[in-house]
Amino acid sequence: MSEVFHRIRRLPPYVFEHINPIKAKARAEGVDIIDLGMGNPDLPTPEHIVNKLKETVADPRTHRYSTSKGIPGLRKAQASYYGRRFGVKLNPDTQVVATLGSKEGFANMAQAITAPGDVVLVPNPTYPIHSFGFIMSGGVVRSMPADPNEDFMRSLDRAVRHSIPKPIALVLNYPANPTAYTADLDFYTEVVKYCKANDIFILSDLAYSEIYFDEAPPPSVLQVPGAMDIAVEFTSMSKTYSMPGWRVGFAVGNERLIAALARVKSYLDYGAFTPIQVAAVAALNGSDEVVDEVRKIYKHRRDVMVESFGRAGWSIPVPRATMFAWAPIPDQFAHLGSLEFAKLLIQETGVGVAPGVGFGEYGDQYIRLAFVENEQRIRQAARNVKKLLGGKTGQGNVVPLKA
Ligand SMILES: Cc1ncc(COP(=O)(O)O)c(C=O)c1O
């Protein structure tokens, strides 16, 4: 009998498993950790959504098994969102599935469409499920650049021509986690044209559809005429409505892919608890003001982070979307790589971050900082970091671990 199971051997420990014990030890010693590591929204779910859940849960009829592809009202609400936000018309019965968070939807889509040895093109660095969803399903991942710049189409063509067998799918994720790269409709148009010509499915992760800071909101790949023939897209309630623990997301788009996902899910789950789905309907059909508010808070935190870390001597490129900054490791620490630098940050400054290598080997010169602490604490984190970077001590009062 093998010591380690076949699938488990293909899943390295989540990167936070290296960091969390250090964080826990520091906390146990009384250090106030300012945690910019996980992208776990700290804002409360808006009250009207919580109230809808409370009201619905009182009805015993909602306590039975729900439906694995989502209640009709929820699929309809998601179709209307796509209509008003992107001008994309969706059939709620055949082109929309509600998922237990977009992560579950993505992983089960990978499972539904992958045969052993199938090649999939995945950005690197990227959110881990984009690659490991396929690896768990027996697929083979070929890395693509995450940056949708002028070289992207050349890289795509090279990857397709040199992959044997030919890739079955391409993963896109804009606005991107962890890099915060964004893409426009011209980019999607070129990619769709190429993938259609080469019979490659597109899986687009649009979890940050509403967390953007520019005038122009991020587009959907489904806005490209004909994209529906080859593309599905995943969206999430987690960030848009600060509902990460509720586990509600969606897959929409190509009917064949959506049917495949629905089939797999019908064997695995009975859908989210009905009151959660009803509350999600209230969120989607409710006022956009709550979403504007969430966006405003993340934008403010972004500005505070870029400004205060910049003054501390750590220059951070300004992210145009998502709830993350993707910051090159400061020169004097670049030789450490991202994991060792992340450990050093916790030990010496009490600031928790995500090491870039956790998102793929091409992320190892970067650190991801999430906007999940309030303005005051972000400023405090910057003051603590300033000490490590050799700047003058601010008014920080962190107790360094080794003190
Ligand atoms: C790009 C991306 N996709 C998907 C997810 C997962 O979201 P959900 O809570 O809907 O599963 C995240 C969460 O951080 C993410 O960053």
Side-chain angles (χ1 to χ4, degrees), residues 66-72 74-75 92-99 250 258 262 265-266 269-271 277:
S66 193
T67 50
S68 75
K69 66 182 213 174
I71 59 174
L74 182 56
R75 284 182 279 114
D93 291 327
T94 57
Q95 295 177 322
V96 180
V97 164
T99 60
F250 298 93
I258 292 296
K265 282 178 65 60
S266 73
D269 68 67
Y270 289 107
Q277 297 191 52

Side-chain angles (χ1 to χ4, degrees), residues 44-56:
T45 306
E47 207 178 335
H48 70 280
I49 303 172
V50 175
N51 287 342
K52 182 53 92 177
L53 173 84
K54 287 187 192 161
E55 180 192 313
T56 315

Side-chain angles (χ1 to χ4, degrees), residues 101-103 127 173 177 205 207-208 236 238-239 247:
S102 61
K103 190 178 184 183
Y127 185 59
N173 169 220
N177 177 10
D205 181 344
Y208 296 96
S236 172
S238 300
K239 317 290 154 95
R247 312 310 300 132

Side-chain angles (χ1 to χ4, degrees), residues 39-40 99-106 126-127 129-130 173 175-177 205-208 235-239 243-245 247-250 323-324 368:
N40 192 354
T99 60
L100 306 175
S102 61
K103 190 178 184 183
E104 178 271 323
F106 192 95
T126 198
Y127 185 59
I129 199 66
H130 297 156
N173 169 220
N177 177 10
D205 181 344
L206 189 53
Y208 296 96
T235 57
S236 172
M237 307 286 287
S238 300
K239 317 290 154 95
M243 295 171 69
R247 312 310 300 132
V248 188
F250 298 93
M323 52 193 291
F324 306 112
R368 192 194 71 178

